[in-house]
Amino acid sequence: MVEALTAVVGARHVLVDPELTGAYTTDWTGRFRGAAAAVVRPADTDEVAAVVRTCAAHGTSIVVQGGNTGLVGGAVSAADQVVVNLQRLDAVTDVDPSTGQLTAGAGVTIARLHDAARDAGWDYGVDFGARDSATVGGSIATNAGGIRLLRHGDTRRQLLGVEAVMADGSVISHLSGLEKDNTGYHLAGLLCGSEGTLGIVTAARLRLVAGTDERVVALLAFADVTTAVEAAWTLRHDLPTLDAAELFLADGLDLVCRSLDLRRPFPEHHAAYLLVEAAGTSDPTAELAAAIDRLGAADVAVATDARRRAELWRYREAHTEAINTVGAPHKLDVTLPAPVLAAFFDEVVEAVRTVAPDARTWLFGHAADGNIHVNITGVDPADETVDDAVLQLVAARGGSISAEHGIGTAKRRWLHLARSPAELAAMRAIKQALDPSDLLNPAVLF
Ligand code: 2HG
Ligand code: ZN
């Protein structure tokens, strides 16, 4: 099989030495450690199709991978599998500044996509902390949400069409970018969020959003979580230019400042913080300041210039790397309905304490859409007791067990908490129809 794969992509792009494959077989957090028969790096859609046919002929299943920044073990392979890494499919083509569309290869990073959109006088509506490594393909596979979802929606909303290699090696290509096109099943929408289980997305036609160059960031401090959460919802209603509303807590801020050697943002300590960004075509500072006045914040820091804005964002975005310095975390990315969101903060800490008294729970996330990242450190990577306690609580409160990271291999045990037997049967029927031999990401989702 390795010989046949080498004939397709060239010897340089088939890796079998564990020294070389290691970076592709361990996830970003270090919690999920896999292996691989080979890591293959095809250059284009035709090579991906040939790789799929080769693996199928050898009865070897495939794990699809982009920037390997996923947080649910969805791109971590086993010793008898082939990793198909798509980072070389990194072309941005057919940029159309008049309609605000472009085509991006699966391996284009989210940061590069933003640059390409801005070069065309537009912007891309989805953004998140892993932007420098995460890829278009991975963001489609997981239907990534991120920090601007409250304004521009999720990745699926940006998707006009895809090119994809199916499990039988056939290629579907729908990159014309027609805005109105109700002609049968929306296959791009189906592949988006399917976590590589139905087909391998190799390129996407993406809708861009109008550029909003005038930006202001404010960090607000609150005496309690309830006031901070309510502030996020109030801003969502009162401030049409709201681009992001991100929440974190006192212990998370302490950890970030300690591990990254950052100066604290305020002289006093506060229980909860809300990082808010407003963006428009004219300066939104006065509008933001007026909205903030009504929120009951204990302290406020405002930044208009790019350097200072980035400094304020750092307190929020550095949570992921700061938590990793404590140890490989269990990550439970969940959404709660608005009415129970604030109470969830205490409830989840208590739920974890009950089953793992020595664990630490870190809470932060996208407050305005109810998405909280529950990170738990001090627990063995393989011990799923805390995962079970948190996800059962989330389901009992009417929430989602995966807001934006996907199910991967990490949460498939709990999929039944989020989907009815009839929904699961429909999902399995789709998988069976499109990938009857279980060739693509067989350990993911089900
Ligand atoms: C974020 O919002 C990412 O920063 C990562 O979704 C969340 O590290 C996490 O748990
Ligand atoms: Zn997030």
Side-chain angles (χ1 to χ4, degrees):
M1 183 184 66
V2 168
E3 264 172 39
L5 291 170
T6 304
V8 174
V9 299
R12 271 183 59 214
H13 299 296
V14 180
L15 314 177
V16 288
D17 180 348
E19 290 267 305
L20 301 176
T21 58
Y24 300 86
T25 56
T26 302
D27 86 318
W28 192 91
T29 65
R31 181 179 171 202
F32 303 101
R33 291 171 189 280
V39 174
V40 187
R41 294 168 40 88
D44 56 30
T45 301
D46 287 345
E47 286 193 7
V48 174
V51 166
V52 166
R53 282 192 292 268
T54 304
C55 289
H58 287 82
T60 300
S61 65
I62 286 170
V63 169
V64 192
Q65 191 178 85
N68 199 14
T69 59
L71 297 172
V72 287
V76 179
S77 53
D80 58 350
Q81 294 185 300
V82 166
V83 174
V84 177
N85 183 288
L86 301 177
Q87 281 170 312
R88 291 177 68 214
L89 281 72
D90 61 354
V92 176
T93 57
D94 301 308
V95 181
D96 184 347
S98 52
T99 58
Q101 295 184 8
L102 56 72
T103 298
V108 173
T109 64
I110 301 301
R112 247 196 83 218
L113 178 56
H114 279 276
D115 289 344
R118 280 179 203 135
D119 288 348
W122 294 77
D123 217 332
Y124 182 61
V126 175
D127 193 19
F128 47 91
R131 60 183 74 80
D132 289 324
S133 317
T135 59
V136 164
S139 74
I140 293 172
T142 53
N143 185 25
I147 53 183
R148 316 226 181 266
L149 180 132
L150 59 94
R151 189 156 188 184
H152 301 298
D154 56 14
T155 298
R156 192 177 283 120
R157 177 107 60 96
Q158 328 302 321
L159 203 56
L160 291 162
V162 293
E163 181 168 86
V165 175
M166 306 307 283
D168 62 0
S170 64
V171 176
I172 58 170
S173 188
H174 199 90
L175 300 173
S176 64
L178 294 176
E179 289 268 355
K180 284 190 164 177
D181 188 13
N182 289 348
T183 46
Y185 299 137
H186 196 279
L187 296 177
L190 178 64
L191 290 175
C192 185
S194 69
E195 302 189 41
T197 61
L198 302 180
I200 304 178
V201 173
T202 53
R205 188 71 182 161
L206 296 168
R207 176 187 288 123
L208 306 178
V209 298
T212 40
D213 289 342
E214 301 283 336
R215 294 187 171 271
V216 55
V217 173
L219 181 62
L220 317 182
F222 292 93
D224 55 72
V225 171
T226 305
T227 322
V229 165
E230 278 166 7
W233 289 102
T234 305
L235 286 173
R236 195 167 180 177
H237 177 267
D238 287 1
L239 197 64
T241 52
L242 186 66
D243 228 30
E246 298 286 313
L247 187 117
F248 51 90
L249 304 182
D251 56 355
L253 177 65
D254 283 347
L255 178 66
V256 165
C257 290
R258 251 195 342 268
S259 58
L260 279 86
D261 205 15
L262 299 182
R263 229 176 46 160
R264 299 187 54 81
F266 302 114
E268 313 282 329
H269 290 248
H270 303 275
Y273 299 86
L274 200 60
L275 183 87
V276 176
E277 179 156 333
T281 46
S282 58
D283 185 357
T285 307
E287 198 183 317
L288 176 66
I292 288 175
D293 264 356
R294 301 190 285 272
L295 299 178
D299 210 341
V300 180
V302 177
T304 47
D305 69 280
R307 191 185 54 83
R308 182 72 187 129
R309 289 200 315 259
E311 279 173 11
L312 291 184
W313 264 107
R314 196 91 182 101
Y315 295 121
R316 159 63 179 89
E317 287 200 323
H319 270 65
T320 300
E321 62 184 281
I323 290 166
N324 246 40
T325 66
V326 182
H330 288 238
K331 286 186 178 283
L332 302 154
D333 151 51
V334 299
T335 311
L336 276 302
V340 300
L341 180 61
F344 176 77
F345 280 77
D346 284 342
E347 285 181 332
V348 72
V349 171
E350 197 43 46
V352 172
R353 192 177 294 134
T354 305
V355 296
D358 297 332
R360 288 288 311 259
T361 303
W362 311 91
L363 301 171
F364 61 99
H366 316 285
D369 44 61
N371 177 188
I372 301 304
H373 295 305
V374 180
N375 279 228
I376 302 160
T377 53
V379 176
D380 189 86
D383 181 353
E384 294 182 328
T385 317
V386 291
D387 306 51
D388 188 52
V390 172
L391 297 180
Q392 297 285 355
L393 174 65
V394 168
R397 295 290 173 269
S400 169
I401 64 161
S402 171
E404 59 174 2
H405 294 170
I407 295 295
T409 54
K411 290 187 188 167
R412 59 188 177 184
R413 235 184 90 186
W414 294 278
L415 191 56
H416 68 279
L417 291 177
R419 291 287 179 260
S420 68
E423 285 174 309
L424 287 173
M427 287 163 61
R428 280 183 197 282
I430 294 169
K431 171 70 173 170
Q432 173 66 22
L434 293 182
D435 184 15
S437 310
D438 234 2
L439 185 73
L440 304 177
N441 281 11
V444 166
L445 210 50
F446 300 113

